Amino acid sequence: MGVFTPPWLLPLTSDPTLAIRREIDLIEFLDRLGYDEAWIGEHHSGGMEIIGSPELIVAAAAERTRRIRLGTGVISLPFHHPLTVADRIVQLDHQTRGRAMFGFGPGLLPGDAHMFGVPARQQRARMAESLDIVIRLLDGGTVTRQAGPHTLRDARLQLGPYTRPRPELAVASAVTPSGGRLAGRYGIGMLCLAAATGPGYSVLDVNWANALAAAEEHGQVMDRSALRLVAPFHLAPTRDQAIREVEAGFRRWARHADRVIEGGTATVGYADFESFLGSDGVTVGTPADAVAALARYWDKSGGFGAILNQITHFADDEAGRRSHLLLIDQVMPAFTAHCAPRLASHDWSAAHRTTWFGDTFKAAEAEIRRHLDGGRASGNPPESETGPGIGTT
């Protein structure tokens, strides 16, 4: 179980310093709860997703946590020189002693691409080219190459990875087949960022099949444990309470999205709050609703390694943290059958209760009789005649 935080930080008038600190505090909290992973996004425009360097959050959170793994979700490769990306990966791999993971993508926001001067039609091609270079560098290669605007001349890393053969890598996959095919080409993980949207949900199995086909073509092997699905969950004791807790936050986000996304929230599959609640990929409800949703995801995808709860901050911090607790305490054990041995032991004990306790009571009665009979045989008065009596306290 993990989280994916773009993050969506609203309102736009809230203090950005506190907002960044809140994301790090949340990761600390999730580490204490026992969450396995946290992935942090990279964005440069729009005013809502204000983390420009997920690597900095990973570095800060790593010093404040003990076991949770920390990922970049994602590094937008067309915006960076591939040599510096590889250098940052290796350094974080050492700083975290192998707890860092690295996701890559072409860049999501059109405003970001515009500012970096990357034409939309070139984003995926540049991402693929940079990924190839980064992997070659991590594997100890030397690269001389012109990659878009970036020149590499006898480029090589001066420090090898802490994790052998290399840190865990993943590629963002949304709706198009490019992400899955790129993951398969190198045999690395997939981050299905749009799993909760209608179009993204519908192609979960298709894009995994694309990855498998590409892996076979390039002599790689895909591992389902490296398939991660991103979807929003907000839980409360009752469904009505969960809905009340997220409605105002959703509408605030929708007003922002309608201003900066062409087509507004409908572009990502949520025309309004009602369609958000009715989406197959969105869970706003009880732990039982979440267990059912995970089963649907499992059936649709054919199996996955992790579900990443998309942090929306639609609810306030208190309700959000309670939701995270419900997910890890009541949903995941039911979905993974983690408590099956406990339940089996309980049922086994209940089934033999009458026999076992009957034998125990008989043994206790026999011991009492033996004690009393022994006292009379020795000429000593039974304890009941000299003291409080057996069975009293």
Side-chain angles (χ1 to χ4, degrees):
M1 185 73 201
V3 299
F4 179 89
T5 174
W8 292 342
L9 300 171
L10 292 170
L12 296 178
T13 54
S14 60
D15 184 77
T17 306
L18 293 178
I20 292 172
R21 180 68 252 182
R22 183 173 67 171
E23 296 306 298
I24 298 173
D25 290 342
L26 176 60
I27 294 172
E28 290 185 76
F29 172 74
L30 297 174
D31 181 59
R32 292 195 298 272
L33 287 185
Y35 274 66
D36 300 302
E37 301 177 355
W39 296 75
I40 302 96
E42 173 194 335
H43 303 91
H44 303 276
S45 62
M48 184 172 67
E49 300 159 303
I50 62 174
I51 293 175
S53 173
E55 299 98 322
L56 290 178
I57 299 295
V58 169
E63 295 300 315
R64 294 163 174 79
T65 56
R66 295 194 306 169
R67 58 170 300 277
I68 193 169
R69 301 184 71 202
L70 304 162
T72 62
V74 295
I75 298 172
S76 300
L77 281 179
F79 308 154
H80 303 275
H81 194 294
L83 177 59
T84 62
V85 170
D87 271 332
R88 296 199 302 269
I89 288 173
V90 170
Q91 182 173 329
L92 271 178
D93 189 33
H94 282 271
Q95 284 184 212
T96 64
R97 294 183 182 269
R99 279 200 287 148
M101 305 170 291
F102 301 92
F104 307 106
L108 176 64
L109 301 182
D112 292 0
H114 173 79
M115 291 193 299
F116 280 100
V118 179
R121 65 182 182 278
Q122 295 181 14
Q123 282 179 257
R124 288 180 175 82
R126 287 195 185 182
M127 185 262 186
E129 186 176 32
S130 290
L131 178 61
D132 183 74
I133 293 170
V134 168
I135 290 178
R136 288 178 59 189
L137 291 170
L138 292 176
D139 290 346
T142 299
V143 180
T144 296
R145 188 166 170 180
Q146 187 69 35
H150 306 301
T151 300
L152 295 96
R153 186 176 297 113
D154 300 325
R156 60 183 299 173
L157 298 180
Q158 62 176 347
L159 184 66
Y162 174 87
T163 303
R164 300 293 180 175
R166 67 168 93 105
E168 183 169 0
L169 309 179
V171 175
S173 174
V175 179
T176 70
S178 59
R181 291 198 58 81
L182 201 54
R185 179 184 182 91
Y186 298 102
I188 60 180
M190 287 175 61
L191 285 169
C192 296
L193 303 184
T197 69
Y201 181 84
S202 66
V203 296
L204 286 176
D205 50 350
V206 176
N207 281 343
W208 179 253
N210 289 330
L212 292 178
E216 183 177 4
E217 181 182 342
H218 293 279
Q220 303 286 353
V221 176
M222 294 297 291
D223 183 352
R224 279 193 182 271
S225 68
L227 175 62
R228 296 170 170 88
L229 311 186
V230 178
F233 290 78
H234 180 77
L235 307 183
T238 69
R239 191 173 302 170
D240 287 344
Q241 180 180 340
I243 292 172
R244 288 195 305 271
E245 289 173 349
V246 302
E247 182 172 8
F250 175 88
R251 297 192 186 282
R252 183 169 57 236
W253 169 80
R255 287 193 295 272
H256 170 85
D258 286 342
R259 294 193 64 192
V260 300
I261 300 175
E262 183 65 27
T265 56
T267 300
V268 294
Y270 313 133
D272 50 33
F273 186 56
E274 289 67 31
S275 64
F276 172 73
L277 295 178
S279 170
D280 285 335
V282 174
T283 305
V284 178
T286 66
D289 293 326
V291 173
L294 289 175
R296 289 197 302 273
Y297 272 119
W298 188 270
D299 292 341
K300 178 60 178 173
S301 66
F304 52 84
I307 194 81
L308 304 179
N309 183 16
Q310 181 171 295
I311 305 299
T312 58
H313 292 305
F314 289 164
D316 63 35
D317 285 353
E318 181 180 356
R321 292 195 174 205
R322 185 191 60 240
S323 175
H324 292 308
L325 177 59
L326 288 173
L327 268 170
I328 199 72
D329 184 51
Q330 296 187 26
V331 176
M332 294 312 297
F335 178 69
T336 62
H338 199 190
C339 291
R342 294 180 63 197
L343 295 170
S345 179
H346 175 83
D347 292 344
W348 179 66
S349 297
H352 295 86
R353 178 188 62 184
T354 301
T355 300
W356 290 343
F357 276 91
D359 291 344
T360 299
F361 292 151
K362 290 177 183 178
E365 291 171 358
E367 179 62 19
I368 292 171
R369 287 195 298 271
R370 186 194 65 76
H371 174 73
L372 293 177
D373 291 345
R376 292 191 180 95
S378 64
N380 296 324
E383 184 179 342
S384 59
E385 298 178 12
T386 61
I390 297 173
T392 64
T393 57

